[in-house]
Amino acid sequence: MKIRTGHIVAVIIILAIIGLGLNSYVSHYQGGEIYEAANHAYGLLVRGFNVTIIVETVHGETIKGTLLSVRGSTLSIVVNGTTYTVGGPEATREDIKAKLIRVIYHGKVYLYEVNPMEGRGSQVFSKLLPNQYYSVRYSGKIYIEGGITPIEIGKLKYQADYKTYGSITIDHLGPNGAIITANMVPVQYLIEYLGNYTVYTYGLLYVNSNERNLPLKLLEVRSP
């Protein structure tokens, strides 16, 4: 019996789609279940998952954003660089009244140990980005050499503290450099704001991806 090439290709595509589906997860909540949705989403966020929130509003709109933070039963999401708050269908203080909430996340979180690295920031932090990922966050001590200004540090701190789930603590800032502590800060921000400085750093790396894909010491694998 002959098997047509087209059939083989179709089977391969179907298997690939199934494989991707196994690494993607969606949880559905009614607007009245906002507290349950918030707890679930926040539990994923603090463990290193990149969480997408899709809201169907009471007015029939569909809004998609990246989860930023959770406070009580209120979710804060970032949509095209702007932060919005999401509450239940009877919300009065939040920006968005939810009729239905979808919590979407992917893969697993691979926690790596980052041994001391030194060099130009763009080169050092680029080594922490794998080929495939949903998010890559870094926690650790960063020593910065050179005349970095309070404004430059302030821009990095603002992005980390208010545009993503993470934070920057300024331990020291002087004429010859700075010492900061990063807590789950997206590596892309470190490349953007510290890329032109010489840095010395060590810490932990949280990679949300479909597979282990960095040659670093693996400390833990976190499943949804």
Side-chain angles (χ1 to χ4, degrees), residues 21 23-31 33-34 36-44 50-56 75 99-106 224:
N23 289 313
S24 301
Y25 309 89
V26 183
S27 296
H28 300 78
Y29 296 91
Q30 297 298 318
E33 299 174 311
I34 183 72
E36 291 83 354
N39 277 345
H40 182 206
Y42 185 68
L44 292 165
N50 188 64
V51 181
T52 299
I53 301 294
I54 296 180
V55 181
E56 293 183 17
L75 297 95
K99 178 181 179 182
L100 180 68
I101 302 166
R102 294 184 178 90
V103 179
I104 304 173
Y105 47 105
H106 308 273

Side-chain angles (χ1 to χ4, degrees), residues 26-128:
V26 183
S27 296
H28 300 78
Y29 296 91
Q30 297 298 318
E33 299 174 311
I34 183 72
Y35 190 79
E36 291 83 354
N39 277 345
H40 182 206
Y42 185 68
L44 292 165
L45 189 64
V46 298
R47 295 170 64 204
F49 285 90
N50 188 64
V51 181
T52 299
I53 301 294
I54 296 180
V55 181
E56 293 183 17
T57 75
V58 296
H59 304 295
E61 299 176 298
T62 299
I63 300 172
K64 180 179 180 180
T66 301
L67 181 63
L68 172 64
S69 64
V70 172
R71 177 174 294 179
S73 60
T74 299
L75 297 95
S76 294
I77 62 175
V78 178
V79 182
N80 297 325
T82 302
T83 301
Y84 298 92
T85 54
V86 179
E90 305 298 328
T92 57
R93 293 182 297 178
E94 287 78 8
D95 302 312
I96 300 168
K97 297 181 179 182
K99 178 181 179 182
L100 180 68
I101 302 166
R102 294 184 178 90
V103 179
I104 304 173
Y105 47 105
H106 308 273
K108 299 179 180 179
V109 173
Y110 296 83
L111 178 60
Y112 298 97
E113 179 181 0
V114 178
N115 289 323
M117 300 189 300
E118 182 178 3
R120 192 174 184 83
S122 57
Q123 298 174 345
V124 167
F125 294 116
S126 291
K127 293 178 181 178
L128 302 180

